[in-house]
Amino acid sequence: MIQPWPKLRSQTRGKFTVFTVREDRKVSPRTGREHDFYVLDSVDWVNVIAVTPDQQLVMVEQFRHGSETVELEIPGGVMDAHETDPVATAVRELREETGYEGCNARVLGSIRPNPAIQSNTCHVVLIEDCRLQHPVEFDHGEDIATRLLPVDETVHLAATGKIQHSLVVVGLFYFDQWRRGLLPR
Amino acid sequence: MIQPWPKLRSQTRGKFTVFTVREDRKVSPRTGREHDFYVLDSVDWVNVIAVTPDQQLVMVEQFRHGSETVELEIPGGVMDAHETDPVATAVRELREETGYEGCNARVLGSIRPNPAIQSNTCHVVLIEDCRLQHPVEFDHGEDIATRLLPVDETVHLAATGKIQHSLVVVGLFYFDQWRRGLLPR
């Protein structure tokens, strides 16, 4: 039976806008030795599966500064301080990034981006019957193009490596399972 | 057409064992304004889909320090400095963490953990006909239990949120697509 590691102390080692680095000193339950672990704390993230009436997904293309590449992704973003429901974040981010609005918004699943080094969760929200209703509202740090793709094509792009963001691939996997009737939700 | 952002300067802001924090100053091609972006640099990671002759997956359970939970995952780890081929890392990590060894090891796909804030890649390696051949060799910072699960069950656990690590879910998605004949590999 795998045991949790008791924490001896914890300190913040750096604050970097979208994440904070924390250092935790812990004791191995197996060896009794002490180890330091670095953890990235962030607010939760939300990704949006936005389906149009003619079964296309509302996707976005943007330059990403970690990879320094233009990536095809689903819309999404971080939960604002006043937002407690990921569905509200999803509706807002979809509107701001693409101008689209839909109905029946609900959480399809939640995932840990990387439980080894990150403490937060990413929620995948499905919104149906999405239509272009608003002008886009980009942050100054954003430059985003909307792309509509047939839903079947998006799953194939994820499987074959054309869609590269792991959290986007997870969202499309949940969506594929849901469409095939394999999710209880 | 989405344009890359020219980089004005770059500096290291912190080194934390498994990742380094870099600050890049860039110019928006849309507004001409300058912005700072923080990027996490790491070596590449490798995850292993290890299939036994009776169609079970060799999985691992361990306490994860980001989430502070025990997670069910596939084996994996970081590429060592002298390793240039992710397949070699996969074979080594599978042996060290579980004692299993197999054949026909090859890359099933590669994914970016988070291109918004991370520069590295995670490779998913498939190894077939895996059998228990060696004693395990844990690092002092590791405490890992091997779990064998039927392959169909693992995909269901990923879809329904029992498997929570996004990169593990991506690996199982690639594997599911490959088993269903939907991958060109």
Side-chain angles (χ1 to χ4, degrees):
Chain A
M1 182 71 181
I2 297 295
Q3 300 297 325
W5 294 47
K7 193 187 296 184
L8 299 180
R9 55 183 178 274
S10 182
Q11 59 179 319
T12 298
R13 288 289 306 274
K15 290 177 182 275
F16 304 100
T17 319
V18 292
F19 55 83
T20 297
V21 178
R22 166 165 50 99
E23 180 182 336
D24 286 349
R25 186 83 172 172
K26 291 184 175 171
V27 184
S28 167
R30 181 171 68 86
T31 67
R33 289 175 59 158
E34 296 183 12
H35 293 271
D36 291 321
F37 296 95
Y38 294 101
V39 177
L40 300 161
D41 292 315
S42 315
V43 294
D44 283 355
W45 300 329
V46 176
N47 273 342
V48 190
I49 301 281
V51 190
T52 65
D54 60 345
Q55 295 301 301
Q56 300 200 81
L57 280 199
V58 182
M59 302 195 68
V60 291
E61 231 180 24
Q62 59 188 314
F63 184 76
R64 287 304 206 171
H65 298 278
S67 56
E68 306 209 292
T69 52
V70 175
E71 294 293 321
L72 179 66
E73 303 179 358
I74 53 179
V78 305
M79 291 183 72
D80 280 348
H82 66 278
E83 287 173 334
T84 53
D85 180 3
V87 169
T89 307
V91 169
R92 176 182 57 73
E93 286 286 353
L94 178 64
R95 188 189 64 237
E96 288 176 0
E97 293 191 348
T98 71
Y100 277 74
E101 188 179 308
C103 57
N104 288 333
R106 73 263 196 201
V107 173
L108 206 56
S110 299
I111 192 86
R112 293 188 183 278
N114 188 340
I117 56 170
Q118 292 173 262
S119 60
N120 73 332
T121 294
C122 178
H123 306 281
V124 178
V125 174
L126 175 67
I127 308 183
E128 296 180 277
D129 205 21
C130 293
R131 298 158 198 265
L132 185 57
Q133 305 270 36
H134 309 275
V136 297
E137 300 169 43
F138 298 155
D139 295 338
H140 285 294
E142 288 179 332
D143 180 22
I144 299 172
T146 301
R147 301 272 181 259
L148 293 184
L149 279 98
V151 290
D152 288 325
E153 191 179 331
T154 60
V155 176
H156 181 69
L157 290 174
T160 54
K162 307 297 187 301
I163 294 173
Q164 300 199 101
H165 192 316
S166 70
L167 296 169
V168 175
V169 173
V170 169
L172 293 171
F173 168 68
Y174 285 165
F175 179 56
D176 185 46
Q177 293 277 314
W178 176 80
R179 284 177 71 218
R180 292 164 60 205
L182 300 172
L183 284 198
R185 304 168 188 105
Chain B
M1 182 73 180
I2 296 295
Q3 300 296 326
W5 293 47
K7 193 186 296 182
L8 299 180
R9 57 185 176 271
S10 184
Q11 60 179 320
T12 299
R13 289 289 307 273
K15 291 177 182 278
F16 304 100
T17 319
V18 294
F19 55 82
T20 297
V21 178
R22 165 164 50 97
E23 179 181 335
D24 287 349
R25 185 81 171 173
K26 291 183 174 172
V27 184
S28 166
R30 181 171 68 85
T31 67
R33 288 174 59 158
E34 296 183 12
H35 294 271
D36 291 322
F37 295 95
Y38 294 101
V39 177
L40 300 162
D41 292 315
S42 315
V43 295
D44 283 355
W45 301 329
V46 176
N47 274 342
V48 191
I49 302 281
V51 191
T52 66
D54 60 345
Q55 295 300 301
Q56 300 200 81
L57 279 201
V58 183
M59 302 196 67
V60 291
E61 233 179 22
Q62 60 188 314
F63 185 75
R64 288 305 207 170
H65 299 276
S67 57
E68 307 208 291
T69 52
V70 175
E71 294 293 320
L72 179 65
E73 303 180 357
I74 54 180
V78 305
M79 291 183 71
D80 280 349
H82 66 278
E83 288 174 333
T84 53
D85 180 2
V87 169
T89 307
V91 169
R92 176 182 56 73
E93 287 285 352
L94 178 64
R95 188 188 65 240
E96 289 176 0
E97 294 191 349
T98 71
Y100 276 75
E101 188 180 307
C103 57
N104 288 335
R106 73 261 197 205
V107 173
L108 206 56
S110 299
I111 193 85
R112 293 188 183 280
N114 188 340
I117 57 171
Q118 291 173 263
S119 60
N120 74 332
T121 294
C122 178
H123 306 281
V124 179
V125 174
L126 175 68
I127 308 183
E128 295 179 277
D129 205 23
C130 292
R131 297 157 200 267
L132 185 58
Q133 305 270 34
H134 309 277
V136 297
E137 300 169 44
F138 298 155
D139 296 338
H140 285 293
E142 287 179 333
D143 181 22
I144 299 173
T146 300
R147 300 274 181 256
L148 294 184
L149 279 98
V151 291
D152 287 327
E153 192 179 329
T154 60
V155 175
H156 181 69
L157 290 174
T160 53
K162 307 297 185 302
I163 293 174
Q164 300 198 100
H165 192 317
S166 70
L167 297 169
V168 175
V169 173
V170 168
L172 293 171
F173 168 68
Y174 285 166
F175 179 55
D176 185 48
Q177 293 278 314
W178 176 79
R179 285 176 72 219
R180 294 165 59 205
L182 300 173
L183 285 196
R185 306 170 185 105

